[in-house]
Amino acid sequence: MSFCHGLRLLYSQLPLFSRELNRPWCRYVSSSLALSSEKRASDFNSFVPRTNTCGELRSAHVGQEVTLCGWIQYQRQGLFLVLRDFQGLTQIIIPQDEAHSHVKKVLYDAPVESVVRVTGTVTSRPPGQKNPRMPTGDIEVKVKTAEVLNSCKKLPFEIKDFIKKSESLRMQYRYLDLRSFQMQLNLRLRSQMIMKMREYLCYLHGFVDVETPTLFKRTPGGAKEFVVPSREPGKFYCLPQSPQQFKQLLMIGGLDRYFQVARCYRDEGSKPDRQPEFTQIIDVSDVFRNVEIGFVQNAVNKPQGTVKAICIPQGARHLQNKDFEALKESAKSQFNQEVLHLILKPDESLKSPLRKFLSEEQQSELIKALKVQADDVVLLAAGEHEKVCLVLGNMRLESANLLELRGLVLRDPTAFHFLWVVDFPLFLHKEENPAELESAHHPFTAPHPSDTSLLYSEPAKVRSQHYDLVLNGSEIGGGSIRIHNAEQQRFVLETVLKEDPELLSHLLEALKSGAPPHGGIALGLDRLICLVAGAPSIRDVIAFPKSFKGRDLMSNAPDYITPEELEPYHIQVAWPAAEAEANKN
Amino acid sequence: MSFCHGLRLLYSQLPLFSRELNRPWCRYVSSSLALSSEKRASDFNSFVPRTNTCGELRSAHVGQEVTLCGWIQYQRQGLFLVLRDFQGLTQIIIPQDEAHSHVKKVLYDAPVESVVRVTGTVTSRPPGQKNPRMPTGDIEVKVKTAEVLNSCKKLPFEIKDFIKKSESLRMQYRYLDLRSFQMQLNLRLRSQMIMKMREYLCYLHGFVDVETPTLFKRTPGGAKEFVVPSREPGKFYCLPQSPQQFKQLLMIGGLDRYFQVARCYRDEGSKPDRQPEFTQIIDVSDVFRNVEIGFVQNAVNKPQGTVKAICIPQGARHLQNKDFEALKESAKSQFNQEVLHLILKPDESLKSPLRKFLSEEQQSELIKALKVQADDVVLLAAGEHEKVCLVLGNMRLESANLLELRGLVLRDPTAFHFLWVVDFPLFLHKEENPAELESAHHPFTAPHPSDTSLLYSEPAKVRSQHYDLVLNGSEIGGGSIRIHNAEQQRFVLETVLKEDPELLSHLLEALKSGAPPHGGIALGLDRLICLVAGAPSIRDVIAFPKSFKGRDLMSNAPDYITPEELEPYHIQVAWPAAEAEANKN
């Protein structure tokens, strides 16, 4: 089950869509990152009785009387304590004189993580006690008055970044987990990134933020949509998987540039990334067409068969035989696929179990085709096209992991590499019945302009105007130019996909009513922000995530409700036989 | 059934909440309006093949070659047409020479509301043909090439602002209705207002935008929440009425300043505005304590009884006897309440059916208490406190309507008058059992600091820290300072409200874990934007509104779905007896 938050936008009047369009996005995302770390003049102390945050005081403040509010990070023997808020830590000196004995008692008795307000004077730390690793490490605050605003019980874990917590404990006590430095940073980064995107869209390019309904009608084929019973017997809303139809209707309604930070509801398990690695795989089928190796021959002689290879430059300097064995073993166990390796030795000869099957001429042809140099390693696989690409893509990542374990720096974790994937097929053969076609993405995607005539003769060959955006190997978004011609849309639905066009009659009618050419893109914000924040899981960039099975571990949702509570919705639970039986007994 | 979009924000560490807090908000809303009409340097022509919008060209552009895209507003005899987009209208001159006969044919044949792209040269309109009422009225575009991007069928209504359409036709063809000038303006104003609010919160005051889940657990007493069946038999999510609990958990989690433009789901009819008019009603019970009028005596001798009056300054100059009769009739028919009127004549004597019941002394006492002057009219009602306030509030609005019909200007539609309503009671006596108490707003509202001790002795007398914000007489928002002390929260739930605190055990536990003092406010964006835009209904500021009964008239949601589609959710429809019977026959 997945719950994704997506930025969705659609712009119209794009008949001459060009790939140039991509670039501003890439530039934008990079520049927004630069901006998000920029200091802004936000007043964190407006509306509240504190004068400063706990991350704010410096030597320049010495002598000022300040009021701070925060959580007690720790307290030592009634002498001092460290106060924490979302901005940082400040050291507080507890007065020891008789006149302030009440203040001392209050702070001494307050448990760790209690919320306190203190007022006092900023002073320089004594010589030798400054802490250069702490932004407020030059000063401390000598307290005059203190009040415990709320006391804290003993917590299930300490709020310290170095304390390791299990994932389920973190989820159960999410409100405590959110106090960690990393979660505070991630959620604030998320807010800033989305605000930057809004500024870019609204202020630089005149987009309009429009909210579309989340209680809608079930769409044809929307098997993964949550249903919501209404008070009319037998009638249901659904929570739409995406604002797909509303976006198009806004374009037809003349809201020329629309965007929305939309929530999408999908009642399904997480889809594995279907994006095989296409880059840097070189097709060497021709070289092997006459090579007498059984499985290679089998591969190249099948219609979808191919022999492909990837090159690990200078791999022989860092990888050993056991590494090649591990890679082959992995390909075998994960994909049931044979992988062979070749090394080009400094004397330009090949070292490989394959060598004996190749003539001198074939060997030099291969070296030429692969553009290998001395000490390069080649990994080679033969088989069905899609599988070979998938396996070699995987080998590429595993090789990189191995090389990085050997100390090589191949991938800069702070660099952002964007890739557009284009020229997807518009239709795919159905797995269960290859004679029939289904949409590769959705039935509203427009055919590639060069392939429009093929739509009516050989639809399986038509490329689509769908595009996916990949960041550092992860798909972060996708979109398409849509069909704006009602007749073309009806042809796709009725003739190609064999669906009942009446189910989408309101869309077809709208397309006839002066629909401008239009297209759009949706970015998966959770994944994008996850990559930018360097977070290990999207759960680290969502305030209250659901578990893999869609459960809320904190409140225990979803939960049972009584038959009486279901009455207004005219539904009752249809218990599966086993459980109904168990209930009876 | 209501679907509201609300801006919700919560800020923590507000132990010394002050009403000063109100003012920045009021200032802000006004200044954002000023800004929204300000010209910004948005580039509406980025990413698209047009060079200009249809509202952009002026004399300064004469001689330039431009490309425009838009809808054909009208076309006359193949001589010229007017092109429309979201920015305005531009007049297009169709070439008449043989060399451009193709262009002429294309534009002549294109039906109204077709989408076209034209390229041509900006020229000055001939002398005498400039249109000063049209921003682009100094110029026209002489077309060289034209292309119909999408043709338009005959529409159910013309896209012209002066064409009147029924509400149901507007809803059924919402995508056409959205093309109207007013809907374009409203939705763009909404987008700009929300963006300004975001800027104010994020950039000026360091708030963090956090998305909270919309699939949650049913809350106690959440009878109006939509339920969403899950794939676990018998288990349901709900769509929360508000992110109430998550907001508090974010405060406890140290996300000190949070806001969200949140969607709230309420499965109920529109609540009538429960906000009686409190202003300018003067209590005159003391004057009438000894007056021998039966219903007045009845009123003042009851515990909640009162006599109250409002004054219509100079009312006698504009209102006649039939107006007073109409007002009284309205009070009688709407509220079953007697209303009396008094007029102070220029000779300072009272004219009223009441006069004969009042001594000279009582008359002058009344004149003094009401501070009436010559020609002022007083409307007076006696009865139960709440009802009398409600009726007189209503009379006040009806009198204002009558006076405005007579040509007086009482209310400036462009002025924004804000009002805070405070000191609400924390609990109300239950209607069905007045011995028991229920929360006036919700059980998480904190008691007024001055009344905290009363909570444990006379809870019915405790004022709350709830506040409502009213703009020009309409409630646009409300919020409260919340209880942050777990023991106080438990006392309210268990002892005052007699609810099972175990249902909220996760909140009570969270409050014990170092919850800072906190409070917040939620603004009803639909209503606020409606007031600012001067729109007659909130349906005019929502792109795709539901009907009063929660129906989507365009797609016909909610709709029937098949038993097979319900299977994965382990529910079946429980048809009401009558319909089950009808299905059988």
Side-chain angles (χ1 to χ4, degrees), chain B residues 470-513:
Chain B
V470 175
L471 170 57
N472 294 356
S474 290
E475 182 190 329
I476 55 163
S480 61
I481 300 301
R482 305 293 154 81
I483 296 173
H484 62 268
N485 180 295
E487 282 316 305
Q488 191 177 73
Q489 183 68 71
R490 177 179 280 274
F491 181 82
V492 167
L493 288 169
E494 201 166 19
T495 309
V496 183
L497 300 173
K498 319 287 184 206
E499 280 179 18
D500 179 5
E502 288 317 304
L503 291 172
L504 285 164
S505 59
H506 62 283
L507 178 67
L508 291 171
E509 193 167 6
L511 290 179
K512 282 182 211 159
S513 309

Side-chain angles (χ1 to χ4, degrees), chain A residues 124-192:
Chain A
S124 240
R125 293 201 193 184
Q129 295 190 23
K130 298 195 175 184
N131 183 347
R133 285 172 307 165
M134 197 171 166
T136 63
D138 284 350
I139 58 92
E140 55 197 13
V141 174
K142 284 213 151 73
V143 175
K144 288 176 187 156
T145 63
E147 186 186 350
V148 175
L149 301 174
N150 210 355
S151 186
C152 183
K153 63 160 189 153
K154 180 147 176 40
L155 299 181
F157 52 81
E158 287 183 74
I159 313 298
K160 296 196 168 62
D161 288 331
F162 57 82
I163 301 282
K164 288 269 170 267
K165 292 136 293 206
S166 75
E167 184 76 6
S168 67
L169 202 63
R170 287 183 58 197
M171 290 301 140
Q172 192 185 345
Y173 295 96
R174 187 59 162 181
Y175 49 90
L176 299 178
D177 189 43
L178 290 178
R179 289 187 195 163
S180 73
F181 173 77
Q182 194 58 54
M183 280 306 302
Q184 289 277 326
L185 199 72
N186 288 354
L187 292 183
R188 287 164 199 274
L189 174 70
R190 180 184 185 116
S191 173
Q192 286 171 348

Side-chain angles (χ1 to χ4, degrees), chain A residues 2-22:
Chain A
S2 68
F3 303 86
C4 72
H5 306 79
L7 172 77
R8 300 182 171 263
L9 60 104
L10 219 64
Y11 32 70
S12 77
Q13 300 183 345
L14 251 176
L16 293 182
F17 176 70
S18 127
R19 291 192 194 137
E20 288 300 305
L21 192 149
N22 316 338

Side-chain angles (χ1 to χ4, degrees), chain A residues 424-456:
Chain A
F424 287 89
L426 186 55
F427 306 107
L428 298 173
H429 295 279
K430 283 189 187 172
E431 257 180 57
E432 66 278 18
N433 181 2
E436 291 180 10
L437 293 177
E438 62 186 359
S439 295
H441 292 93
H442 58 57
F444 316 110
T445 308
H448 196 288
S450 324
D451 296 356
T452 306
S453 61
L454 282 175
L455 183 64
Y456 304 93

Side-chain angles (χ1 to χ4, degrees), chain B residues 43-101:
Chain B
D43 182 1
F44 289 108
N45 305 311
S46 46
F47 313 134
V48 284
R50 69 171 171 244
T51 58
N52 297 82
T53 68
C54 294
E56 207 176 334
L57 298 174
R58 301 286 184 275
S59 292
H61 297 89
V62 167
Q64 287 186 15
E65 180 162 302
V66 296
T67 298
L68 305 180
C69 296
W71 286 265
I72 298 178
Q73 180 82 358
Y74 56 82
Q75 187 262 102
R76 202 163 293 166
Q77 293 158 353
L79 294 173
F80 69 93
L81 60 79
V82 171
L83 206 60
R84 185 194 74 234
D85 69 11
F86 59 99
Q87 288 285 84
L89 301 165
T90 298
Q91 181 163 299
I92 306 295
I93 302 298
I94 302 172
Q96 302 297 319
D97 57 312
E98 195 54 41
H100 289 91
S101 59

